[in-house]
Amino acid sequence: MPIIEAMLFSKTTGFSSKEIAEKLNETEEKVNSVLIDIWEHYNSEVHGIELENFEGKYRFTIKNEIKSILNPKPRSFSLTESQFEILAILLLNGPSSTTEIEKSRGKSSYHQIKKLIEMGLVIKKKKENTKNRYLYDLSEMFFELLPEKTINELRGAKIDKASNVSSKNR
C-alpha cells in the first residue's frame, strides 16, 4: 500500500501500526504485513534509508553508514546535570509544564529549559484550551541528534517517590 509508505515519509516522528490502521480504516494485522514488506524492501543494501521501529512508532531514517558520510562531524552537546534531568523528565512524563518539571526536580528550571529550547532539544507549545499556559516537550531534533547511548541513559532514568530525578549507572 503506497499510502502507508507516504505516511511514513510525511512524519519524521513516525506512526504506530495502530495509528496507521485507524487512519486507513484497515486491520492492524494488514498494516503490520505491509510494514514488514516495506522493511524488507528498504533495509536492503540498494537503499540509503531504512524503516525502523522507535518507541513503538515506525519511521524512515538514514542508514548509519550513510549518516556518517553526510555528517562526518555529528553535532555534539554538552549538557549540564540539570538539563539532563529535564530531558529525562520530558522523556518519562511527556509534555510537561514548568511547574510540573520544577515539582519533579525540586528547584527552578526556567533557565535550563530556555537553554534546551535554544539548543533545539525542547519545544514550547501552547496548552490546549488555555490562554497563557505552555507545555514543554522533546523536539524531533532531540531524537535525531542525540546519540542512542544518551537516549538510553535517559530512558534508564527514574523518578523516585520523593520526586527527585536520579539516573541508573551514572
Side-chain angles (χ1 to χ4, degrees):
M1 293 179 72
I3 186 75
I4 294 176
E5 186 176 307
M7 286 176 70
L8 295 171
F9 270 112
S10 73
K11 189 173 178 186
T12 57
T13 54
F15 291 95
S16 69
S17 56
K18 183 178 181 180
E19 289 172 321
I20 296 169
E22 288 173 0
K23 281 191 181 285
L24 301 179
N25 200 23
E26 290 286 345
T27 65
E28 201 169 342
E29 292 76 28
K30 180 167 182 170
V31 168
N32 284 330
S33 174
V34 172
L35 288 169
I36 289 169
D37 291 342
I38 292 171
W39 183 87
E40 288 173 348
H41 177 77
Y42 281 99
N43 286 32
S44 68
E45 290 185 20
V46 297
H47 293 284
I49 60 172
E50 62 188 346
L51 181 65
E52 73 171 2
N53 185 330
F54 183 76
E55 303 236 327
K57 295 193 175 202
Y58 293 91
R59 65 181 188 175
F60 283 111
T61 60
I62 299 170
K63 290 183 178 178
N64 286 333
E65 59 270 18
I66 306 282
K67 252 187 223 178
S68 64
I69 295 168
L70 296 175
N71 301 315
K73 288 186 174 182
R75 187 172 173 185
S76 63
F77 292 99
S78 179
L79 297 174
T80 66
E81 188 173 329
S82 297
Q83 291 166 342
F84 195 81
E85 287 176 353
I86 292 167
L87 293 174
I89 289 166
L90 293 174
L91 186 66
L92 293 169
N93 299 340
S96 302
S97 67
T98 304
T99 305
E100 293 166 334
I101 293 168
E102 290 175 350
K103 185 177 178 183
S104 293
R105 292 188 65 231
K107 51 187 139 180
S108 176
S109 302
Y110 173 78
H111 294 290
Q112 290 82 6
I113 293 170
K114 186 177 176 184
K115 185 66 177 169
L116 289 168
I117 291 171
E118 289 172 11
M119 290 175 165
L121 298 174
V122 171
I123 57 171
K124 178 180 178 179
K125 55 187 177 182
K126 191 169 172 87
K127 188 173 181 178
E128 291 181 21
N129 302 323
T130 64
K131 288 184 181 181
N132 294 324
R133 312 252 316 155
Y134 293 93
L135 295 176
Y136 298 93
D137 199 3
L138 299 173
S139 69
E140 290 180 17
M141 185 169 45
F142 169 84
F143 292 105
E144 292 171 5
L145 294 180
L146 245 58
E148 192 72 29
K149 178 184 175 197
T150 304
I151 292 174
N152 289 335
E153 284 179 26
L154 288 169
R155 278 198 194 110
K158 64 178 183 176
I159 298 176
D160 66 22
K161 292 185 181 181
S163 295
N164 292 323
V165 174
S166 61
S167 180
K168 296 177 187 173
N169 302 326
R170 242 204 219 172

